[in-house]
Amino acid sequence: MAASSRAQVLDLYRAMLRESKHFSAYNYRTYAVRRIRDAFRENKNVRDPVEIQTLVNKAKRDLGIIRRQVHIGQLYSTNKLIIENQEKPKT
Amino acid sequence: MLLRAAWRRAALAATAAPGPRSAAPTRGLRLRVADHAPQSAVPSDTATAPESVLRPLYMDVQATTPLDPRVLDAMLPYLVNYYGNPHSRTHAYGWESEAAMEHARQQVASLIGADPREIIFTSGATESNNIAIKGVARFYRSRKRHVITTQTEHKCVLDSCRSLEAEGFQVTYLPVQKSGIIDLKELEAAIQPDTSLVSVMTVNNEIGVKQPIAEIGQICSSRKVYFHTDAAQAVGKIPLDVNDMKIDLMSISGHKIYGPKGVGAIYIRRRPRVRVEALQSGGGQERGMRSGTVPTPLVVGLGAACEVAQQEMEYDHKRILKLSERLIQKIMKNLPDVVMNGDPEHHYPGCINLSFAYVEGESLLMALKDVALSSGSACTSASLEPSYVLRAIGTDEDLAHSSIRFGIGRFTTEEEVDYTAEKCIQHVKRLREMSPLWEMVQDGIDLKSIKWTQH
């Protein structure tokens, strides 16, 4: 299946990370970036194509969730946290 | 017109490059009116621009937790389009709402190893505790008049027991050891032939102590006494199985597991059947145990929260343990005379209760205004009494007044933990410098030997 190729998985990974960085809430943003990295890292040695497809499908659904929730967070955004002022957080 | 423009401005401002809103960011906690919501029809009277106050870090997850974005995403369709009453049997709106409710029931049941028919949705753990304690005691009132609980339970459990006492029941409040854990021998000795229920919470909300639930379940089942546990702080965080642990009734709270507020559940065993007298009368919903329309969006949120918790339990636990050790290490390494309340081994790492000697708890909380913390449970924080939980574990009066509870959750970051530890160390040192008691201790005087004069 095309969707389970290595390039496609990497594209999905990059898309998820890119989208997650737009969360306006510090805690959601840091969690999403961290969790995505750790989840993809944890599953990097999976070889069974059926399992890979399941994981990819779940990731696509999660990407949809991230997109919607990022948008909602931006609509209702509020002030930043005290520590966001002091450093540019990535994780 | 003006409204849409304001909304667009707000959305643009939010997606603009991050940076401080004002040149000189002010700190502290000032209540903000929700005047940035797009649907406010009338601009506020004061019509001032929103003040740029940076928000404090949230380290009070035992009080409540933020909604997980996955939970909100699951709830929204039922708040927007699928708004049917799940008990309407005659049209698609009702059917789809009922399907969602039953799916949520399955998700909750799966987290605790129960059957979906054993899950009743309620308005929260307080209602679940009331149903469990009053419902079971009253049902078996003709033959059983004794209930056992502990001194460190949540206020709603203690208050339910007090109301049972007023009805003529006898209640034993088991003491806890210094570690916060009950003595199993004392529990066995307290069980009488007319005991109907034993209620012991799984994880304490103030000191994070884990009670030996499996052993208690074993004792209760061998003595044919029903076992209820308030698992509000434990569900989704530590593995729980109602059959392995022989639990007959369990209270679940939505807003402690990254779900919505206003919803919870109670697990009531069916095999062997636990009979409960319903507290809320009405149309017989939820098997007659809790009448009233089931709030579909909320229970969908609870179900989603339970499913996410089941998937993330191991990952979250590992992280929270690491962050917890980091926080405690940092603080203890840089400050003397800090005591951790509660058994360090049988302990949920996400709830850390520390007592800082020679520092007043409230003044430390106010000094740490950049961090949202609590000294004890939210429901007792209004009164100035030291927490009854700390009193029950035998903490000295002065140490009980200096206790702070740090909560670490799924969304807590290492930066937040480091910031909290640094600020805590800084302010404790500062407050101790100002304290005459600390000065006396530094001079080698034993405070317990002082004869304070009477005025």
Side-chain angles (χ1 to χ4, degrees):
Chain A
M1 283 258 346
S4 53
S5 80
R6 179 189 158 80
Q8 236 101 7
V9 169
L10 284 174
D11 275 345
L12 191 52
Y13 176 62
R14 270 190 290 266
M16 290 178 86
L17 280 182
R18 207 170 32 230
E19 196 60 43
S20 298
K21 290 180 183 160
H22 294 305
F23 265 116
S24 64
Y26 167 86
N27 292 98
Y28 289 160
R29 187 172 63 240
T30 53
Y31 176 77
V33 166
R34 185 189 332 123
R35 190 70 188 96
I36 290 165
R37 281 207 188 114
D38 289 345
F40 274 81
R41 195 161 295 157
E42 193 185 314
N43 290 313
K44 73 178 180 203
N45 291 318
V46 174
R47 294 283 165 257
D48 172 28
V50 172
E51 202 185 332
I52 293 177
Q53 196 51 46
T54 314
L55 291 168
V56 164
N57 290 340
K58 178 165 193 309
K60 284 187 176 155
R61 281 197 301 274
D62 286 343
L63 177 57
I65 294 176
I66 294 172
R67 287 205 168 112
R68 288 190 291 274
Q69 293 303 313
V70 159
H71 191 59
I72 290 171
Q74 288 169 350
L75 291 174
Y76 287 92
S77 68
T78 183
N79 293 331
K80 295 194 181 299
L81 288 186
I82 202 86
I83 54 172
E84 292 185 79
N85 203 31
Q86 295 168 10
E87 44 115 83
K88 290 278 176 256
K90 275 304 164 196
T91 306
Chain B
M1 193 58 188
L2 264 170
L3 184 61
R4 233 174 290 140
W7 174 80
R8 232 180 296 131
R9 233 183 296 127
L12 277 175
T15 48
R21 291 263 176 97
S22 74
T26 42
R27 283 143 195 258
L29 184 65
R30 243 177 292 169
L31 287 174
R32 285 193 73 234
V33 180
D35 53 0
H36 57 267
Q39 58 266 40
S40 54
V42 176
S44 62
D45 287 332
T46 49
T48 49
E51 307 150 55
S52 300
V53 179
L54 295 178
R55 291 173 68 74
L57 306 184
Y58 191 72
M59 301 286 292
D60 197 17
V61 285
Q62 278 70 40
T64 188
T65 54
L67 266 188
D68 191 298
R70 292 165 281 200
V71 169
L72 180 59
D73 200 74
M75 288 170 70
L76 277 168
Y78 297 91
L79 287 164
V80 180
N81 291 315
Y82 305 139
Y83 48 77
N85 184 321
H87 313 292
S88 301
R89 327 216 77 201
T90 57
H91 49 70
Y93 288 88
W95 303 328
E96 72 200 357
S97 191
E98 183 184 18
M101 174 180 80
E102 293 307 321
H103 181 59
R105 207 186 295 277
Q106 168 60 49
Q107 290 168 315
V108 176
S110 155
L111 179 60
I112 58 173
D115 185 279
R117 291 169 299 174
E118 297 172 312
I119 302 289
I120 306 289
F121 290 118
T122 62
S123 67
T126 297
E127 185 182 345
S128 301
N129 284 332
N130 269 266
I131 293 175
I133 294 170
K134 292 178 182 163
V136 169
R138 286 175 188 164
F139 189 88
Y140 295 101
R141 131 181 57 217
S142 54
R143 284 173 300 133
K144 312 262 182 168
R145 306 228 104 209
H146 181 230
V147 171
I148 300 175
T149 185
T150 72
Q151 290 177 0
T152 53
E153 292 296 306
H154 194 265
K155 265 269 153 62
C156 57
V157 170
L158 295 178
D159 215 55
S160 299
C161 289
R162 202 166 310 134
S163 87
L164 282 183
E165 283 181 319
E167 286 176 28
F169 287 86
Q170 188 209 352
V171 181
T172 301
Y173 300 90
L174 287 177
V176 292
Q177 301 166 78
K178 270 204 155 308
S179 59
I181 303 177
I182 62 163
D183 186 336
L184 291 171
K185 301 249 178 5
E186 278 190 36
L187 168 64
E188 278 194 273
I191 296 179
Q192 298 167 10
D194 71 335
T195 303
S196 57
L197 182 72
V198 167
S199 176
V200 180
M201 72 195 321
T202 315
V203 170
N204 187 279
N205 56 316
E206 287 191 40
I207 54 181
V209 161
K210 287 200 295 206
Q211 300 289 353
I213 295 297
E215 286 83 347
I216 299 173
Q218 184 58 45
I219 293 172
C220 290
S221 102
S222 65
R223 302 285 293 271
K224 302 273 191 289
V225 177
Y226 291 127
F227 176 36
H228 164 252
T229 183
D230 176 4
Q233 297 285 350
V235 166
K237 302 191 175 131
I238 57 172
L240 290 173
D241 187 297
V242 292
N243 291 315
D244 291 345
M245 299 172 168
K246 300 195 161 52
I247 297 170
D248 298 307
L249 297 125
M250 182 193 279
S251 304
I252 297 165
S253 173
H255 72 114
K256 304 286 166 43
I257 54 172
Y258 312 95
K261 294 178 193 41
V263 72
I266 180 170
Y267 158 77
I268 303 179
R269 181 176 284 281
R270 295 192 68 201
R271 299 247 186 96
R273 189 177 292 265
V274 177
R275 304 297 302 274
V276 171
E277 194 181 277
L279 293 183
Q280 187 152 312
S281 322
Q285 287 85 6
E286 296 296 281
R287 302 180 180 273
M289 310 253 211
R290 201 270 181 188
S291 296
T293 303
V294 171
T296 308
L298 293 178
V299 304
V300 164
L302 175 63
C306 287
E307 187 172 284
V308 170
Q310 195 167 7
Q311 290 162 2
E312 303 284 346
M313 202 188 299
E314 200 189 316
Y315 177 85
D316 283 346
H317 194 272
K318 228 171 17 188
R319 254 196 94 243
I320 290 172
L321 182 59
K322 214 175 60 170
L323 289 176
S324 169
E325 284 169 354
R326 191 185 175 92
L327 178 70
I328 298 175
Q329 280 266 10
K330 263 198 159 174
I331 291 180
M332 297 246 181
K333 205 173 62 173
N334 289 294
L335 288 175
D337 299 308
V338 178
V339 175
M340 182 165 121
N341 298 308
D343 189 285
E345 203 192 305
H346 300 284
H347 181 255
Y348 172 63
C351 175
I352 304 160
N353 192 304
L354 299 176
S355 281
F356 300 92
Y358 319 114
V359 171
E360 220 280 323
E362 292 298 322
S363 58
L364 181 57
L365 275 185
M366 289 202 288
L368 288 171
K369 57 176 159 48
D370 294 336
V371 186
L373 289 167
S374 150
S375 69
S377 89
C379 24
T380 55
S381 61
S383 73
L384 287 177
E385 265 181 39
S387 137
Y388 61 89
V389 172
L390 291 180
R391 205 176 323 126
I393 63 173
T395 313
D396 277 337
E397 186 81 16
D398 50 344
L399 276 184
H401 267 114
S402 348
S403 74
I404 304 281
R405 176 185 69 189
F406 300 87
I408 297 177
R410 179 182 297 162
F411 299 103
T412 311
T413 66
E414 202 175 274
E415 282 80 20
E416 288 178 311
V417 165
D418 287 345
Y419 182 90
T420 304
E422 278 157 30
K423 285 287 163 178
C424 187
I425 293 165
Q426 178 192 335
H427 286 290
V428 166
K429 283 190 174 149
R430 188 182 59 87
L431 287 167
R432 280 179 174 168
E433 288 300 305
M434 295 197 283
S435 160
L437 286 179
W438 175 248
E439 222 176 278
M440 288 167 32
V441 167
Q442 298 296 83
D443 290 339
I445 303 172
D446 173 22
L447 292 184
K448 300 240 186 290
S449 66
I450 296 174
K451 298 246 180 308
W452 302 104
T453 55
Q454 303 280 77
H455 284 283

